Amino acid sequence: MGLSTLRDGRPVKSERATKTLSRVALFLGELRDGLTMINMQSAFLISSKSYTEKQAGIMFVVFGISQFLFQTPAGYIMDYSNKKVHLLGFAAVGTTILTLITALCAQDNAANLGGMVFVKFLQGAVTALIPPGLNSITQGIVGTVGMTSQVSMNEMMNHLGTAIICVSGSLLAYALYPDIGMLFIVSPIACMGVIYYLSQIRPGDIDHEAARGLVVSSKTTTKGESFDASGNRYEPPSPPLSPRSPGNLEVKPSFTFGFSEQSSSESAQSFALQEEKPKKADTPWEILQDPVLAIFVLICFVFHMANATILPLVMQTLAVENGRTGILMSGLCIIIAQACMVATAKICGDNAGIYGRKNLFLIGLFSVPVRCALLTFLLNMKENINGGDDDWYYDNGGSKWIDVIMLATQIFDGIGAGIFGTMYV
């Protein structure tokens, strides 16, 4: 399918910008939540640095708490700022540096556990900028009306990037075992990809009013590309605005910290679906009083509280005392889940408008208890097995077949997390 064009034959800006955004999302797969390398870091610390599961768990609990604490401030910063691309680039570089510090500075037997916990706290705060950063840039390019399809594409590319990075890291770890620190070389490689493609997104590609949700359609979807005499794309200077032009009104974020604060500039910002009724920013108190939103937030919180702990536990179960094979199996946990998430994101994007988001969310919720029940059964079975044919059993008596089936349960992770990751926006 060719590019969309305007009447004068020029390609529409958003066509190039969304393709560039998809490539950013591909390389952000390793960096977006820190989860890929967080789980690989856990396996690395346990297998190569003699950390206990408890010590590794403390580090990543702190990481998760830090993300939780800084998520709302990060969203406000991204909403308020017109430097969204720069902030996202800063977050990508910051989390890469902190990942490398973990790999290079972690001491055997958790001798510097306090320092590593502090590093994870900082990394949680930095990575909190990534999801709202990517989503706000996306909304600024395609507008609210294009979010479902573009978020679906972003999620597909994110999960594909995660799977590719994980395959590379797992193979490196398997080849380098037991000294697997070099596997973290994939982090700066991914970061360079993010920075390169972010630099291709021009300031004029982002409609900040659309990014804040104050208008439904982004101007980027109706503007054409401009070319110089040599045929190179360029950003033409904006015409000067009159003192009374709406573009000179003070820009406000889409919500305020005040509980009754209003401004004259906010009354001038209209919502495209309700042109006759100006759209003003909601206060935190008004947001908290919305029962539907409160219930949805509670559902997401409970889902992630249940789901987030499963993958690290499965990876640790496969990595502990299984040496090189355990590292490879741990990587396969992420690869299988991410491969399924690619398909899930595609299905959600295609069918959300047909079957509704609620039905898809219910499927995602149902996947968690099914997955947990299967894993509980398999772990109990593994503990009760005492030896057997050496062709199918590890030296410690655990069945290889059980580990393979445990890996297969990651399909449910791909379904649940894939649906929530795509549909929550």
Side-chain angles (χ1 to χ4, degrees):
M1 185 172 63
L3 293 176
S4 299
T5 58
L6 300 177
R7 290 182 178 180
D8 60 7
R10 291 184 300 159
V12 178
K13 267 190 174 187
S14 61
E15 293 283 352
R16 171 189 51 78
T18 52
K19 287 191 174 184
T20 304
L21 190 63
S22 297
R23 295 183 177 101
V24 171
L26 176 70
F27 286 96
L28 271 178
E30 191 280 319
L31 305 172
R32 179 182 55 166
D33 296 320
L35 292 177
T36 307
M37 278 299 156
I38 289 302
N39 287 297
M40 294 297 286
Q41 285 171 39
S42 179
F44 160 71
L45 293 171
I46 292 171
S47 298
S48 296
K49 297 297 181 180
S50 302
Y51 274 57
T52 65
E53 293 94 328
K54 180 179 179 180
Q55 290 166 336
I58 289 172
M59 288 177 58
F60 301 119
V61 164
V62 170
F63 171 83
I65 291 173
S66 176
Q67 273 195 327
F68 171 75
L69 292 175
F70 288 97
Q71 192 75 66
T72 299
Y76 184 85
I77 290 170
M78 284 295 182
D79 192 68
Y80 190 85
S81 175
N82 286 352
K83 302 290 185 181
K84 296 174 175 61
V85 171
H86 296 86
L87 288 171
L88 185 57
F90 161 77
V93 172
T95 190
T96 300
I97 291 172
L98 292 167
T99 295
L100 295 178
I101 288 175
T102 302
L104 296 173
C105 299
Q107 298 178 2
D108 292 340
N109 300 307
N112 59 341
L113 180 61
M116 291 296 99
V117 167
F118 180 67
V119 169
K120 292 302 110 182
F121 180 82
L122 292 179
Q123 190 168 13
V126 171
T127 56
L129 289 165
I130 295 177
L134 181 62
N135 288 331
S136 63
I137 292 172
T138 300
Q139 187 159 314
I141 291 173
V142 302
T144 303
V145 294
M147 274 295 280
T148 298
S149 60
Q150 187 59 41
V151 167
S152 173
M153 176 59 68
N154 288 354
E155 289 297 312
M156 286 175 59
M157 300 302 284
N158 260 300
H159 297 312
L160 179 61
T162 300
I164 293 171
I165 289 294
C166 234
V167 168
S168 305
S170 298
L171 292 176
L172 276 173
Y174 186 81
L176 297 171
Y177 184 85
D179 186 13
I180 63 173
M182 281 298 294
L183 75 89
F184 293 102
I185 192 67
V186 297
S187 278
I189 292 173
C191 183
M192 287 188 288
V194 170
I195 299 302
Y196 173 77
Y197 284 110
L198 277 177
S199 68
Q200 306 302 307
I201 298 178
R202 301 183 179 91
D205 293 340
I206 301 172
D207 182 343
H208 293 285
E209 294 298 290
R212 296 181 176 108
L214 298 176
V215 295
V216 172
S217 299
S218 170
K219 294 177 182 177
T220 309
T221 61
T222 59
K223 284 184 177 180
E225 296 278 16
S226 297
F227 300 88
D228 60 19
S230 301
N232 299 316
R233 288 187 177 90
Y234 78 102
E235 192 71 33
S238 300
L241 299 173
S242 66
R244 298 183 61 82
S245 169
N248 275 341
L249 295 176
E250 182 183 359
V251 174
K252 289 287 185 180
S254 63
F255 63 92
T256 63
F257 282 123
F259 288 88
S260 60
E261 180 181 333
Q262 296 185 16
S263 70
S264 58
S265 64
E266 290 170 344
S267 65
Q269 296 165 333
S270 61
F271 194 56
L273 294 180
Q274 298 176 332
E275 290 293 346
E276 74 283 357
K277 184 178 180 180
K279 179 70 174 177
K280 72 178 192 308
D282 292 330
T283 66
W285 179 243
E286 290 171 334
I287 293 171
L288 291 173
Q289 286 180 311
D290 185 340
V292 176
L293 180 61
I295 292 172
F296 179 70
V297 169
L298 179 62
I299 290 171
C300 289
F301 173 77
V302 173
F303 171 82
H304 288 295
M305 184 172 63
N307 191 64
T309 59
I310 303 173
L311 177 59
L313 291 174
V314 173
M315 292 183 67
Q316 290 175 17
T317 300
L318 295 173
V320 172
E321 298 180 358
N322 287 331
R324 175 180 292 182
T325 304
I327 291 291
L328 190 59
M329 298 281 276
S330 296
L332 284 172
C333 283
I334 301 174
I335 295 165
I336 292 172
Q338 296 297 324
C340 291
M341 288 178 196
V342 173
T344 302
K346 171 65 174 173
I347 292 169
C348 287
D350 292 342
N351 295 283
I354 300 173
Y355 300 106
R357 295 184 178 229
K358 183 186 291 186
N359 294 325
L360 295 173
F361 272 121
L362 287 173
I363 294 172
L365 283 171
F366 184 69
S367 69
V368 177
V370 173
R371 181 183 177 203
C372 290
L374 286 172
L375 286 170
T376 301
F377 173 76
L378 292 170
L379 287 171
N380 286 332
M381 182 183 292
K382 187 172 182 178
E383 290 176 359
N384 292 330
I385 290 176
N386 295 313
D389 187 343
D390 287 341
D391 289 338
W392 300 108
Y393 291 84
Y394 291 127
D395 293 336
N396 63 6
S399 171
K400 290 182 180 180
W401 282 116
I402 292 179
D403 285 348
V404 171
I405 298 172
M406 287 177 64
L407 277 175
T409 63
Q410 286 301 105
I411 294 173
F412 291 101
D413 186 26
I415 295 172
I419 289 173
F420 269 77
T422 305
M423 293 288 94
Y424 85 98
V425 179

